[in-house]
Amino acid sequence: MWIFFAFGSAFFAGLTTVLAKCGVRRTDSAVATAIRTIIVLLFSWGMVLLTGAQSGLRAIGGRTLLYLVFSGLATGASWLCYFKALQLGDINKVVPIDKSSTVLTILLAFVLLREPVNVYSAVGVLCVGTGTYLMIEKKGGGEAEEPSGLWLPYAAGSAVFASLTAILGKLGVTGVDSNLGTAIRTGVVLVMAWAMVYLTGKQHAVKAVPKGELGFICLSGLATGASWLCYYRALQDGPASVVVPIDKLSILFTVAFSAAVFHERLNRKSALGLALLTGGTLIMLRG
């Protein structure tokens, strides 16, 4: 059953990216992140109340709560980097870097969670790394360049924090209902996101968000909530080294959606990179 939830996480994550891109065309990425976190928080606590998971609040130990808090902080940092990168760059280049967090996650799972790394994992990591490189390679002189080169460090930051999120999330949902764990860590993300808005003096930009973009931001929040619930339900029962690669297959949905909505097309090298990235992920699943 956890595999079903892992693939559900991938689908909704792919949908989240395209909806979020539509919502940050003119809206500041930090403001958009803060607004959509409200939607995710309402969604996640709604699921907690529907499933009666709130009864487990008293049973959460101090160490588990600490892992959930740190996981929330890592998630907040990853979101802020990710949506800033989306605002500055091409979806088909930002997303592969974010998805390359699979490699770091597998290494961290080996070191911290003692999950084994076999031949399949090693080959998969090599394919994912090569595929990511091909997809982010600069376009030729005859093609349009990205609006800003600053998207690259933001995308890389998103990948690093996403890896930490997966490991800390795995530790944090051990013995805790996944819906409740998701709701708690979303609360941490909310505080962090709005703190960033006020620290950077962007609170006045909230009222200036275009209504159309606000709608996309809210829809991306709902998609994120659905993705999270599936993701952490899968992490609760399945190994992080398998759940995370499945979740990263969301890039296939993202590429398809970006082609339909933004008319972003892959060149031959990028298409080969996508094939390697996807193939590497599937190879990891065999391990």
Side-chain angles (χ1 to χ4, degrees), residues 151-220:
W151 65 270
L152 184 56
Y154 281 112
S158 171
V160 172
F161 287 116
S163 299
L164 292 175
T165 295
I167 298 301
L168 292 169
K170 174 68 176 180
L171 295 171
V173 296
T174 302
V176 179
D177 180 86
S178 60
N179 292 326
L180 180 59
T182 299
I184 292 173
R185 58 194 296 279
T186 304
V188 176
V189 177
L190 181 70
V191 173
M192 179 180 179
W194 280 101
M196 285 299 299
V197 170
Y198 279 91
L199 285 173
T200 55
K202 297 176 180 176
Q203 63 271 24
H204 301 296
V206 176
K207 296 181 180 180
V209 176
K211 292 183 179 180
E213 293 193 3
L214 180 61
F216 282 117
I217 291 170
C218 292
L219 286 174
S220 73

Side-chain angles (χ1 to χ4, degrees), residues 58-203:
R58 296 181 180 179
I60 297 178
R63 177 175 294 183
T64 297
L65 182 61
L66 186 63
Y67 281 132
L68 288 172
V69 170
F70 280 123
S71 176
L73 292 173
T75 300
S78 180
W79 274 13
L80 289 169
C81 290
Y82 185 56
F83 291 106
K84 185 63 175 180
L86 279 179
Q87 190 172 48
L88 296 173
D90 188 330
I91 283 182
N92 289 336
K93 291 187 179 293
V94 173
V95 175
I97 295 180
D98 177 67
K99 301 310 177 188
S100 69
S101 62
T102 303
V103 175
L104 182 56
T105 299
I106 289 176
L107 295 177
L108 291 177
F110 172 73
V111 175
L112 301 177
L113 304 180
R114 306 306 173 105
E115 294 185 1
V117 176
N118 53 32
V119 175
Y120 289 110
S121 297
V123 173
V125 165
L126 180 61
C127 289
V128 169
T130 304
T132 300
Y133 171 77
L134 290 174
M135 291 194 75
I136 66 174
E137 191 175 18
K138 290 184 178 181
K139 297 179 179 180
E143 300 181 61
E145 296 291 333
E146 265 69 350
S148 170
L150 291 176
W151 65 270
L152 184 56
Y154 281 112
S158 171
V160 172
F161 287 116
S163 299
L164 292 175
T165 295
I167 298 301
L168 292 169
K170 174 68 176 180
L171 295 171
V173 296
T174 302
V176 179
D177 180 86
S178 60
N179 292 326
L180 180 59
T182 299
I184 292 173
R185 58 194 296 279
T186 304
V188 176
V189 177
L190 181 70
V191 173
M192 179 180 179
W194 280 101
M196 285 299 299
V197 170
Y198 279 91
L199 285 173
T200 55
K202 297 176 180 176
Q203 63 271 24

Side-chain angles (χ1 to χ4, degrees), residues 12-89:
F12 287 114
L15 187 59
T16 294
T17 299
V18 175
L19 291 170
K21 177 73 173 181
C22 292
V24 294
R25 288 176 170 176
R26 289 179 292 169
T27 303
D28 180 82
S29 59
V31 172
T33 301
I35 293 174
R36 64 192 298 276
T37 305
I38 296 175
I39 306 300
V40 179
L41 183 68
L42 293 175
F43 188 98
S44 57
W45 277 103
M47 287 302 299
V48 167
L49 296 176
L50 284 174
T51 58
Q54 70 273 16
S55 59
L57 277 170
R58 296 181 180 179
I60 297 178
R63 177 175 294 183
T64 297
L65 182 61
L66 186 63
Y67 281 132
L68 288 172
V69 170
F70 280 123
S71 176
L73 292 173
T75 300
S78 180
W79 274 13
L80 289 169
C81 290
Y82 185 56
F83 291 106
K84 185 63 175 180
L86 279 179
Q87 190 172 48
L88 296 173

